[in-house]
Amino acid sequence: MSRFAIETVGLNHHFGPQAVVKNLSLQVPRGSIYGFLGPNGAGKTTTIKILLNLLQSPADTVFIFGQELNHNRIACLEKMGSLVEQPAIYAHLSGKENLINRCILLGINKSKADEMLALVGLTEAATKKTGKYSLGMKQRLGIALALIADPELLLLDEPTNGLDPNGIIEIRNLMVELTSKHGKTILVSSHLLAEIERTATHVGIINKGEMLFQGTINELQDLSKPSIKIEVDDQAAAANILSSNGAEIINEKEGNIHITYTGKADMGKLNTLLVQNGVTVYSISTDRKDLENLFLDITSKN
Amino acid sequence: MRSFFISLQSEFYKSRKTLAFWAAIIVPVVICGLIAFGYYTSSEKILKYNYPGMMLWFQYSSAALGVMGMLILPFYVMFMAFSVNNIEHKNDTWKTLFSQPLNKFSIYSAKYFYALMLLFICTILFPLLTYVSGYLLQTLVPKYTFKDYDPAIILTRFYGKLFLASLGILSIQFVLSLIWSDFLKPMGIGFIGVIAGIITANVGWKHAYLIPYSAPTLALRAASGTKNARPEDLPIFTQEIGVSLACAAVLFVAGYFILSKRNIK
Ligand SMILES: Nc1ncnc2c1ncn2[C@@H]1O[C@H](COP(=O)(O)OP(=O)(O)O)[C@@H](O)[C@H]1O
Ligand SMILES: [Mg+2]
């Protein structure tokens, strides 16, 4: 059995002349919450549609739990629940009827419908026509529809779109619970890092169809090189001493000097040097670039 | 096979509250109801003609058959084929439908079969209601001669033929509505088709039978030409029916290939 819930091998996709997915090698480990990040138009939805076989892909490029997608379409789809872009809901039916319709299609017990309504907090709106639902309510129903078959793998395309802060937190907790308690795997796309930073175990960052980073959330954090901020009375003298002793100065202004962090011992040595040479050191602190900026950096390079 | 029945059940479930579904029932009820009402209120005028049983049945049923075959049936078929597909276009649900673990051909053929079933319901209600209302009129107006003739055979033959004649149109409209999400393209083409069909059939163009849209009119024309012959002998598998069935078969297959090769947006 493959160690990956989703694996793509050199996946490409074109819309006419436009290459939307370029040589994408997605690797979503089992049991992970994989944050699929990228700005609008990056190709996230397109990739998810390929994973669902809604868009054609060449043979031997997409594997779901180790099974080749094109040859095992139904077996693969049985393992996946999905919410793609705006939730697809029959507007003339009520929330409950939408769920019952899905129960019919999946051959599952209709009592599941009430259970799912309760799970996403729509019990009171169960009999209301979904055409009259707010965007957030539709999104909740979309999530209920994705979950109703209790799939091993969930593909959620920007699931928190239109949700209120409470709803966002609920979805986050739900995702954590599904992976930690029920061993599910979740691929969740977003254009905001902040949104998945706290829940994702793995991250893939895509821009213009290309994967720019893929790894664990810790690996992503390691990428943001920590730096040291030193606040001194005499900036010029301090900069001089630091650079002549091998420190890498990132920038300096208004009495603050940023240098690359190279280890505790080095930092202590530099501090002593500054003091011995008559520079007053007001403060020394580590300065970590936050992930949001890192994300912006990565996606704006191309 | 299981996929097919599941999909069919779902088609029924999700469209049971739509106009396309209810129209299949309401249209025959309203038309037959109006005609029966007319025969009841103006029974004296009709009784003056002293129609024998068969002739009375013939007059009575052609009233519905006439409007039905010429106009209402083609337009209902257009609207229904549009509606069955539009339920997915409108709600952007093609993508969910095709991401269920169900065979694509089953999903497609269930949808097609559902459209076929609605057409069948609509065309079977007409003869049934005509039959029942005829005997009801007989009890209300005892002087009528409905009791002298059993119209079961001619009614089945006429409406059976009409059903077969509509299959070509249904398939064309079904595929057009499958491809295009907007209302105007399939309706526009259908409208032109129906008008062209009626005209070519009525001017007696010898190749009119090749246009599936003229099939219902042609099928009925053969029916009204049987006044002297025995109406029970109405030939069913005529040229236009052949064209209609062939067209239905080809488009059913073509529709599936279009769908399976198409990327679902
Ligand atoms: N059906 C389509 N036809 C043509 N181009 C499309 C289609 N869908 C998406 N695109 C293009 O593909 C690119 C990626 O879109 P998408 O996958 O929706 O991005 P994301 O979900 O990351 O915002 C965009 O440039 C978009 O314009
Ligand atoms: Mg998107």
Side-chain angles (χ1 to χ4, degrees):
Chain A
M1 257 289 194
S2 168
R3 155 174 111 72
F4 297 115
I6 304 173
E7 185 173 15
T8 69
V9 183
L11 182 66
N12 289 294
H13 194 82
H14 298 258
F15 280 120
Q18 187 195 1
V20 180
V21 173
K22 295 173 204 155
N23 198 21
L24 191 74
S25 294
L26 201 65
Q27 295 187 323
V28 180
R30 284 163 183 263
S32 64
I33 299 184
Y34 185 102
F36 193 33
L37 285 169
N40 291 326
K44 303 181 296 290
T45 301
T46 306
T47 306
I48 291 176
K49 284 187 177 175
I50 292 171
L51 297 176
L52 289 166
N53 199 230
L54 291 172
L55 300 176
Q56 311 280 331
S57 59
D60 292 324
T61 51
V62 180
F63 298 87
I64 305 293
F65 291 107
Q67 281 184 302
E68 202 279 329
L69 179 66
N70 284 318
H71 294 112
N72 304 284
R73 179 177 169 271
I74 293 181
C76 288
L77 289 177
E78 266 170 1
K79 300 197 180 86
M80 292 192 271
S82 59
L83 169 65
V84 184
E85 287 189 315
Q86 298 80 21
I89 295 169
Y90 297 104
H92 65 286
L93 299 178
S94 71
K96 188 172 175 181
E97 285 168 330
N98 268 286
L99 287 162
I100 290 180
N101 180 53
R102 187 61 63 83
C103 290
I104 295 175
L105 283 175
L106 294 167
I108 51 185
N109 198 313
K110 287 176 191 156
S111 63
K112 254 309 212 178
D114 287 319
E115 210 179 291
M116 297 317 295
L117 284 166
L119 180 73
V120 296
L122 283 176
T123 307
E124 273 168 40
T127 53
K128 193 173 182 174
K129 279 195 178 168
T130 55
K132 301 213 163 67
Y133 276 18
S134 69
L135 180 60
M137 290 163 84
K138 286 183 187 164
Q139 203 75 16
R140 283 164 191 263
L141 184 60
I143 290 165
L145 285 164
L147 287 172
I148 197 164
D150 198 21
E152 272 178 72
L153 171 62
L154 271 171
L155 307 181
L156 303 176
D157 190 12
E158 315 218 1
T160 49
N161 249 355
L163 286 190
D164 47 31
N166 248 336
I168 294 178
I169 292 168
E170 280 168 30
I171 298 303
R172 252 185 224 157
N173 294 341
L174 186 62
M175 289 200 294
V176 172
E177 191 185 312
L178 285 169
T179 48
S180 62
K181 289 201 192 131
H182 304 281
K184 312 281 185 202
T185 308
I186 301 178
L187 177 130
V188 52
S189 82
S190 177
H191 59 275
L192 297 170
L193 177 69
E195 206 170 77
I196 56 163
E197 195 182 342
R198 258 170 284 173
T199 43
T201 56
H202 292 71
V203 180
I205 298 178
I206 179 182
N207 191 24
K208 296 184 185 152
E210 279 178 282
M211 187 71 95
L212 302 177
F213 171 85
Q214 179 166 243
T216 64
I217 193 96
N218 291 332
E219 283 167 348
L220 180 67
Q221 268 155 356
D222 289 346
L223 262 194
S224 60
K225 274 196 236 151
S227 64
I228 299 289
K229 187 173 96 176
I230 306 174
E231 197 181 355
V232 291
D233 61 345
D234 185 346
Q235 185 185 321
N240 205 3
I241 296 162
L242 289 169
S243 57
S244 59
N245 283 283
E248 188 189 329
I249 295 176
I250 301 166
N251 62 43
E252 50 180 297
K253 58 173 186 255
E254 294 156 25
N256 287 321
I257 302 176
H258 287 257
I259 60 167
T260 310
Y261 177 77
T262 50
K264 271 186 188 166
D266 285 350
M267 295 306 123
K269 221 161 67 190
L270 289 174
N271 187 13
T272 316
L273 265 173
L274 287 173
V275 176
Q276 280 172 353
N277 285 290
V279 178
T280 306
V281 178
Y282 299 131
S283 71
I284 298 185
S285 56
T286 34
D287 201 13
R288 214 162 232 259
K289 197 194 277 180
D290 66 10
L291 284 178
E292 198 62 53
N293 281 325
L294 180 68
F295 173 52
L296 284 176
D297 268 8
I298 293 176
T299 51
S300 61
K301 265 178 205 151
N302 298 59
Chain B
M1 233 17 206
R2 196 183 137 264
S3 288
F4 174 79
F5 285 113
I6 281 179
S7 305
L8 191 61
Q9 196 189 345
S10 159
E11 286 300 327
F12 175 76
Y13 184 81
K14 67 195 174 197
S15 65
R16 74 198 193 291
K17 286 182 180 172
T18 60
L19 187 61
F21 176 72
W22 284 105
I25 295 165
I26 292 167
V27 167
V29 168
V30 167
I31 293 181
C32 293
L34 283 176
I35 293 168
F37 184 74
Y39 268 66
Y40 177 66
T41 48
S42 36
S43 56
E44 279 168 27
K45 214 163 45 182
I46 294 158
L47 282 171
K48 273 190 214 139
Y49 291 103
N50 269 328
Y51 287 129
M54 189 183 95
M55 218 32 219
L56 182 63
W57 273 112
F58 190 82
Q59 291 295 333
Y60 184 60
S61 54
S62 349
L65 210 52
V67 251
M68 164 81 178
M70 278 281 227
L71 286 169
I72 296 185
L73 192 66
F75 282 106
Y76 172 67
V77 165
M78 276 161 59
F79 167 69
M80 185 261 288
F82 166 77
S83 188
V84 167
N85 287 295
N86 188 247
I87 194 171
E88 315 295 347
H89 289 307
K90 185 175 65 189
N91 298 307
D92 198 10
T93 39
W94 286 114
K95 62 186 186 201
T96 16
L97 201 54
F98 284 101
S99 55
Q100 300 313 310
L102 297 168
N103 183 284
K104 278 188 189 177
F105 182 69
S106 303
I107 299 172
Y108 167 77
S109 52
K111 210 171 237 318
Y112 183 89
F113 191 77
Y114 182 68
L116 211 65
M117 251 173 56
L118 287 183
L119 176 63
F120 185 74
I121 292 173
C122 183
T123 32
I124 204 166
L125 276 177
F126 270 101
L128 271 178
L129 291 169
T130 306
Y131 192 85
V132 171
S133 61
Y135 281 103
L136 186 71
L137 281 170
Q138 181 68 59
T139 51
L140 293 174
V141 186
K143 278 188 193 155
Y144 269 144
T145 52
F146 284 116
K147 61 180 183 308
D148 299 344
Y149 181 78
D150 182 359
I153 292 174
I154 57 165
L155 284 177
T156 341
R157 288 207 144 224
F158 284 7
Y159 280 100
K161 188 172 183 185
L162 199 55
F163 174 72
L164 295 178
S166 317
L167 293 184
I169 305 181
L170 177 67
S171 302
I172 295 175
Q173 292 300 132
F174 187 86
V175 171
L176 293 180
S177 306
L178 184 74
I179 301 173
W180 289 311
S181 56
D182 65 329
F183 183 77
L184 283 178
K185 280 182 201 134
M187 287 302 176
I189 294 175
F191 193 80
I192 292 168
V194 170
I195 303 294
I198 293 175
I199 292 173
T200 49
N202 280 324
V203 299
W205 185 46
K206 67 178 181 214
H207 296 304
Y209 71 91
L210 289 174
I211 306 173
Y213 289 94
S214 63
T217 316
L218 285 175
L220 284 186
R221 147 154 324 193
S224 39
T226 53
K227 269 176 197 161
N228 306 320
R230 288 173 1 112
E232 288 96 328
D233 295 338
L234 171 79
I236 289 193
F237 291 99
T238 46
Q239 275 176 322
E240 72 273 8
I241 300 295
V243 171
S244 168
L245 291 180
C247 173
V250 169
L251 281 164
F252 173 70
V253 176
Y256 176 64
F257 276 101
I258 291 170
L259 194 70
S260 65
K261 290 280 165 278
R262 187 171 71 171
N263 286 325
I264 316 265
K265 298 291 162 66

